[in-house]
Amino acid sequence: SITDHSEGQFTANFTSAVPSNATTCATIDLDRFTFNNHCTIYLESTSGATTSGVRVRITAAVNSGHVLDKNSTNIAVFA
């Protein structure tokens, strides 16, 4: 499931817990639906994902203070 905290900030929640301290996360921006509005996707924590989810922040590529929602974002978690 997804928890929407505010514009450009959300958590992808895991159905099954993943191991702690052994998890990394990659994020992928698909520009297909945003009319060339490229972005940067940050992990909210330098620790990566927790056992129950991963929180990310999406910002404009040229202005990290401008958060935005994307129509399509992919997150891959490796445990």
Side-chain angles (χ1 to χ4, degrees):
S1 67
I2 302 294
T3 302
D4 187 357
H5 301 286
S6 63
E7 185 173 6
Q9 298 180 49
F10 65 92
T11 297
N13 303 296
F14 307 141
T15 301
S16 301
V18 298
S20 62
N21 299 324
T23 305
T24 189
C25 182
T27 55
I28 303 163
D29 163 31
L30 290 182
D31 190 48
R32 179 173 154 198
F33 301 108
T34 54
F35 309 106
N36 294 321
N37 190 2
H38 296 284
C39 70
T40 303
I41 305 172
Y42 296 96
L43 298 177
E44 283 286 328
S45 170
T46 57
S47 301
T50 67
T51 59
S52 60
V54 62
R55 185 168 173 161
V56 297
R57 175 186 305 250
I58 304 171
T59 66
V62 295
N63 180 357
S64 63
H66 179 223
V67 293
L68 53 104
D69 284 339
K70 297 287 283 185
N71 290 328
S72 180
T73 302
N74 298 285
I75 299 171
V77 177
F78 305 94

